[in-house]
Amino acid sequence: MPATEDHATPALREADRQMTICNACRYCEGLCAVFPAMELRRDFSAGDLNYLANLCHDCGACFYACQYAPPHEFDVNVPVALAELRAESYRHYAWPGALSGLFDKNGTKVAIAASLSVIAFLIGFMALVDPQVLYASQTGPGAFYAIMPHNAMVAIFGAVFIYAIAAIALSLRAFWRDTGDAAVTGGSFRQAVIDAGHLRYLHGGGAGCMNADERPTDNRRLYHHFTFYGFILCLASTCLATLFHYALGWQAPYGWWNPVVVLGTLGGLGLVIGPAGLLAARRRRDPAVAAHRQSAMGIAFLWMLLLTGLTGILLLVLRATPAMGILLAVHLGFVLGLFVSMPYGKFVHGLYRFAALVQYARERSLDPETGEQGAGLKSGQKIETV
Ligand code: SF4
Ligand code: SF4
């Protein structure tokens, strides 16, 4: 992947123009990490701009604070400029480059992938499973595997998941190289984990995210937490189930108080509450700070998460009934659709943002005079930005 050709696109040129104005103004330096990172630069390469775009958490606060926002002739709208560039950066760093076009009209493509996946599982089950098994109640260990053999599940989902991880890792490597290519220190990584875990920069300098009525609320941050930790709990549940299956020979489905089910239930609830809240929050958001290019991609991703969580909970509740076979097909279809779309959809935003936070933590720890690694983050000091 070659480094970004400097300012080759309208989104890069617009972000460069606005960051240059902001760098002269600096009024918003206390709002988030973007402005302190911007102030470390006198001009902006394309890699710098992509880094700043992914460091932005899209809270909207700087738009409402800005004396140069429309109708001022400077027409400064940092949330939209950086969101447009962020969407473009996903496409630019995608691996393989031949599939980068999947980020165009992404909402439609994710919906098609999910629909095809669900349909394929439904047709596959109806064609391959004895109706007396598919439409009958299945209980006890191995009940799911009477419908779809465990090895077949592992082969399909394992292959797609490994591809998704590899594609995302190679995309991230291209992003990292283009935006600094610095050595990651333990301190900067730890600081980024703390900042990402708290969504520190999604609170608009303390006020919260802005809605159309210009009243700040913190709801998006709260629902992001539900979504993120819901996903992590579901992942933990799946890993634990794999361990139980292969190391201990315990076959799903498990009892209600089994850790696999407890983690999966809590995670599933998070994946329903979080995306539902974020979808509702989108409707209240001021259109002035909503970026068109991100919109359908974000909505499709939230629906994928919501439907994955919802069908998972339905499967859990109805697993001992004759509906289990069809629900299993629908749930597996959404999970596969989610895995397939992971490297080429909004899922990547969290990883690029995390990489930008690592980079930010690292450069904030450098000595401004020498450019050498300072003592700060090496010894565990926290960044005090906002
Ligand atoms: S967003 Fe507006 S007020 Fe804030 S730093 Fe930029 S130009 Fe200044
Ligand atoms: S995180 Fe918020 S305050 Fe910072 S640049 Fe993005 S929209 Fe503006």
Side-chain angles (χ1 to χ4, degrees):
M1 166 72 63
T4 314
E5 187 188 339
D6 268 13
H7 311 124
T9 67
L12 278 168
R13 288 193 287 277
E14 180 59 11
D16 186 39
R17 183 187 76 84
Q18 295 201 24
M19 285 293 101
T20 302
I21 294 171
C22 290
N23 219 2
C25 167
R26 301 194 169 187
Y27 178 74
C28 295
E29 63 184 359
L31 288 182
C32 68
V34 171
F35 296 95
M38 172 198 75
E39 290 173 12
L40 295 173
R41 292 156 170 82
R42 298 183 67 177
D43 47 31
F44 306 99
S45 68
D48 289 334
L49 292 167
N50 284 327
Y51 157 58
L52 295 174
N54 282 283
L55 196 53
C56 170
H57 286 50
D58 201 20
C59 70
C62 56
F63 176 76
Y64 299 100
C66 185
Q67 59 268 42
Y68 303 120
H72 192 281
E73 61 181 325
F74 284 2
D75 196 24
V76 172
N77 188 335
V78 173
V80 167
L82 294 188
E84 295 286 347
L85 182 56
R86 208 160 45 244
E88 188 174 283
S89 74
Y90 304 153
R91 191 186 194 290
H92 178 74
Y93 297 113
W95 184 94
L99 295 183
S100 62
L102 291 174
F103 281 101
D104 300 334
K105 296 191 175 18
N106 184 264
T108 307
K109 288 170 184 167
V110 169
I112 290 172
S115 304
L116 289 178
S117 181
V118 170
I119 290 168
F121 270 97
L122 283 170
I123 291 176
F125 278 19
M126 288 175 191
L128 300 174
V129 181
D130 182 347
Q132 301 216 340
V133 175
L134 184 59
Y135 302 115
S137 301
Q138 305 287 337
T139 55
F144 295 142
Y145 312 131
I147 294 174
M148 183 170 184
H150 186 263
N151 287 346
M153 280 191 202
V154 171
I156 293 172
F157 287 90
V160 174
F161 190 68
I162 288 169
Y163 172 81
I165 296 297
I168 290 171
L170 290 166
S171 304
L172 265 181
R173 186 179 68 163
F175 173 75
W176 188 259
R177 285 180 171 174
D178 205 19
T179 56
D181 203 14
V184 179
T185 65
S188 59
F189 191 85
R190 185 173 60 247
Q191 181 69 49
V193 169
I194 293 168
D195 292 342
H198 292 179
L199 284 174
R200 183 179 183 186
Y201 299 114
L202 191 61
H203 67 40
C209 294
M210 297 285 181
N211 287 326
D213 58 6
E214 296 194 21
R215 281 193 318 198
T217 66
D218 216 14
N219 287 348
R220 279 177 61 226
R221 191 173 177 216
L222 174 69
Y223 292 128
H224 259 96
H225 279 312
F226 271 110
T227 307
F228 173 71
Y229 288 108
F231 183 83
I232 294 294
L233 288 174
C234 287
L235 199 61
S237 170
T238 305
C239 293
L240 193 59
T242 305
L243 190 72
F244 281 1
H245 186 94
Y246 286 112
L248 303 175
W250 298 348
Q251 294 199 343
Y254 304 108
W256 285 95
W257 295 108
N258 185 294
V260 168
V261 175
V262 172
L263 289 172
T265 305
L266 293 174
L269 288 173
L271 284 186
V272 172
I273 295 168
L278 288 171
L279 284 166
R282 276 179 169 269
R283 297 166 68 91
R284 293 193 299 272
R285 203 152 195 230
D286 186 349
V289 293
H292 176 67
R293 283 176 79 168
Q294 288 258 16
S295 187
M297 184 192 307
I299 290 171
F301 179 56
L302 289 172
W303 272 109
M304 284 299 294
L305 291 173
L306 197 157
L307 290 169
T308 302
L310 192 61
T311 54
I313 287 176
L314 280 175
L315 181 61
L316 174 70
V317 173
L318 300 175
R319 60 187 173 168
T321 72
M324 187 267 270
I326 295 301
L327 277 174
L328 183 64
V330 174
H331 179 59
L332 292 180
F334 280 119
V335 174
L336 190 66
L338 182 64
F339 282 9
V340 166
S341 62
M342 266 166 51
Y344 309 109
K346 188 67 188 281
F347 180 84
V348 298
H349 84 284
L351 296 161
Y352 284 125
R353 186 167 285 153
F354 181 75
L357 285 169
V358 175
Q359 165 80 339
Y360 176 65
R362 191 199 68 84
E363 66 184 18
R364 291 282 292 176
S365 72
L366 296 180
D367 185 313
E369 300 296 327
T370 66
E372 298 293 319
Q373 185 75 41
L377 288 174
K378 268 185 169 173
S379 59
Q381 177 194 342
K382 287 187 177 177
I383 297 172
E384 299 301 341
T385 307
V386 289

